Amino acid sequence: NMKEEELTMENNGENIYISLNNELTSKMPKDSYTCVTLNNSFIIFKSISNQFYLIFANSINSIICYDFDNLQVINEIKNSHNKRITNFSHFLDIKNERNIILSLSYEDNNIKLWNLQNWECLLNLININNNGYLFSACFLNENNQILLVTSNYDNYNDYSEPIKIFDFYGKKVKEIENSNKKTYFVDAYYDKNLSQNFIIACFMDNIISFNYNKNEIYKKYYDFLSVVKSHSNTIIKSDDKIVNLIASCYDGNVRIWDFHAGLLLEKIAISDEYLNSICLWKEHYLFVSCDDGYIKLVDFENRKIIQNKCNESNEVLTVKSLAHRKYGKCLLAQSLGKEQIKVYIIND
């Protein structure tokens, strides 16, 4: 039922074309399932064997493994969780030459790890938190040891349980000091220059980075001129000069901080609605998904929106970008309650 469409976007006199590829999109699976989650309702990645895979869930709690190179479902792990699956993550385990998939059910406080090659369940981590919801989790590689970082959000108390770290066998390694606030999103960042792992956590009023080894707060990231209801997603953009922490916020702004200095560098007004997922495209651009059903292409260097892409009437939860050897530059998006992941081919 999708219509072919093409958008032209002006960028300093240069035309950028985003076109919906009907042939590719029509072959995308139609049994994907989304519920209210902040990001990563699906993941797409290049495997250790140099193949592209798309991982998502359906309404009967099955995990679907989709061959993005050949556009076909190659595996379905039925009833993989007791309750609906909300998040995924991928870890490239180079040491053991395997791809590890993390699946998460926030209602069930349950994380499972899977070996992509045979879909063997490597770890079933249950009852992670005593109270509240498990909104997100991520991998952290510390001295070639694969660790899991887990969030907690307690609706019924002012404070939640702290961020927890588990090893690959499900043993709790430690809890992060001073992290017992309501946590939406967690991520890990390894700084090569400092040879140091950091944990990044989104809270209601700010974002905090934690020094993993010292188990202490590294920096707090505020906007002192406005009260932010919540931060939903962050990404790191690093170059030789500076490390940027980029966040999508529930007040409709994208904020950019100097990660190591903790200074707010930019605030870009995007929407009157909540912002959800963000992903980098090229060097100075972001795709931002919004509750108003739009995907927005943002030039964050010049602090302006290049284009609004109307996607759905429902809020867009997850956006991912990648460069594919066959299809070129792609943008993938999924909206709340929609049974299809859309693929946009980017020609610039």
Side-chain angles (χ1 to χ4, degrees):
N1 295 326
M2 289 175 294
K3 297 180 180 179
E4 186 176 1
E5 57 187 302
E6 184 172 85
L7 300 176
T8 303
M9 297 177 290
E10 297 293 330
N11 174 27
N12 298 328
E14 175 188 4
N15 287 332
I16 302 174
Y17 297 95
I18 293 186
S19 58
L20 177 64
N21 185 313
N22 264 3
E23 180 181 0
L24 179 60
T25 309
S26 64
K27 292 182 180 178
M28 293 300 290
K30 295 185 178 181
D31 61 347
S32 56
Y33 173 73
T34 58
C35 59
V36 177
T37 185
L38 294 175
N39 53 27
N40 295 335
S41 60
F42 67 87
I43 53 171
I44 188 163
F45 58 90
K46 183 189 288 187
S47 72
I48 201 163
S49 60
N50 206 34
Q51 294 174 284
F52 281 92
Y53 292 101
L54 172 66
I55 308 294
F56 59 92
N58 63 18
S59 59
I60 58 172
N61 303 333
S62 296
I63 296 174
I64 309 297
C65 180
Y66 189 81
D67 182 342
F68 194 71
D69 293 326
N70 299 303
L71 304 179
Q72 60 183 0
V73 174
I74 59 173
N75 218 329
E76 179 180 354
I77 303 85
K78 296 183 177 180
N79 302 312
S80 53
H81 283 263
N82 293 327
K83 295 187 179 181
R84 55 186 176 176
I85 304 165
T86 52
N87 301 75
F88 291 99
S89 187
H90 167 251
F91 181 78
L92 190 62
D93 185 3
I94 298 176
K95 179 182 178 181
N96 297 300
E97 297 184 347
R98 60 183 177 176
N99 299 273
I100 301 174
I101 306 299
L102 180 154
S103 61
L104 182 153
S105 172
Y106 83 81
E107 292 178 319
D108 216 14
N109 271 317
N110 179 211
I111 290 174
K112 291 187 178 182
L113 300 183
W114 311 84
N115 186 342
L116 180 69
Q117 182 177 1
N118 55 14
W119 284 100
E120 173 192 4
C121 184
L122 303 172
L123 175 67
N124 183 14
L125 193 58
I126 61 174
N127 300 323
I128 296 169
N129 299 310
N130 296 315
N131 298 297
Y133 294 101
L134 178 69
F135 273 119
S136 69
C138 69
F139 291 100
L140 184 147
N141 187 357
E142 177 67 18
N143 297 323
N144 293 319
Q145 183 184 15
I146 304 171
L147 301 173
L148 299 177
V149 182
T150 64
S151 72
N152 184 42
Y153 187 94
D154 193 336
N155 280 330
Y156 306 105
N157 297 290
D158 291 334
Y159 290 93
S160 297
E161 295 172 49
I163 293 170
K164 300 180 179 69
I165 310 295
F166 295 89
D167 67 15
F168 197 76
Y169 304 99
K171 178 183 177 181
K172 185 169 69 174
V173 175
K174 64 179 177 182
E175 297 179 344
I176 301 300
E177 295 291 332
N178 299 310
S179 66
N180 58 331
K181 299 171 67 177
K182 296 182 177 182
T183 315
Y184 285 111
F185 173 79
V186 291
D187 200 6
Y189 163 63
Y190 180 75
D191 190 287
K192 293 181 180 179
N193 293 326
L194 298 179
S195 301
Q196 177 63 57
N197 271 309
F198 296 94
I199 293 172
I200 303 167
C202 290
F203 300 112
M204 291 289 289
D205 58 346
N206 67 350
I207 300 170
I208 298 178
S209 60
F210 299 89
N211 185 309
Y212 175 78
N213 292 112
K214 294 182 178 180
N215 199 6
E216 65 183 19
I217 292 174
Y218 180 65
K219 295 292 179 182
K220 294 183 179 181
Y221 308 91
Y222 284 101
D223 182 348
F224 292 100
L225 298 180
S226 59
V227 178
V228 183
K229 186 176 181 180
S230 181
H231 306 80
S232 57
N233 193 199
T234 66
I235 53 176
I236 290 288
K237 181 183 181 296
S238 177
D239 56 34
D240 295 334
K241 297 179 181 179
I242 192 171
V243 178
N244 288 138
L245 173 67
I246 306 174
S248 57
C249 306
Y250 269 23
D251 65 355
N253 289 283
V254 165
R255 289 175 171 84
I256 304 173
W257 286 270
D258 181 319
F259 178 79
H260 292 298
L263 297 176
L264 180 63
L265 303 176
E266 303 283 354
K267 180 168 71 173
I268 309 170
I270 304 297
S271 173
D272 294 330
E273 302 289 337
Y274 292 174
L275 304 185
N276 297 314
S277 179
I278 50 177
C279 64
L280 287 169
W281 181 60
K282 299 178 73 173
E283 189 174 356
H284 301 298
Y285 299 91
L286 292 170
F287 282 110
V288 183
S289 66
C290 310
D291 263 18
D292 59 9
Y294 281 87
I295 302 169
K296 302 182 187 257
L297 178 63
V298 180
D299 179 346
F300 63 81
E301 189 175 63
N302 295 304
R303 299 183 61 175
K304 63 180 181 179
I305 298 172
I306 301 297
Q307 179 66 47
N308 293 338
K309 169 70 184 84
C310 184
N311 189 61
E312 297 289 350
S313 57
N314 290 10
E315 53 263 44
V316 186
L317 294 178
T318 302
V319 288
K320 302 285 184 182
S321 63
L322 79 153
H324 192 275
R325 55 180 169 263
K326 182 178 179 181
Y327 312 122
K329 294 174 182 175
C330 301
L331 173 70
L332 289 83
Q334 189 172 33
S335 300
L336 177 64
K338 298 298 179 181
E339 297 179 346
Q340 193 172 51
I341 298 168
K342 287 191 173 182
V343 181
Y344 300 88
I345 307 301
I346 306 172
N347 301 309
D348 57 14

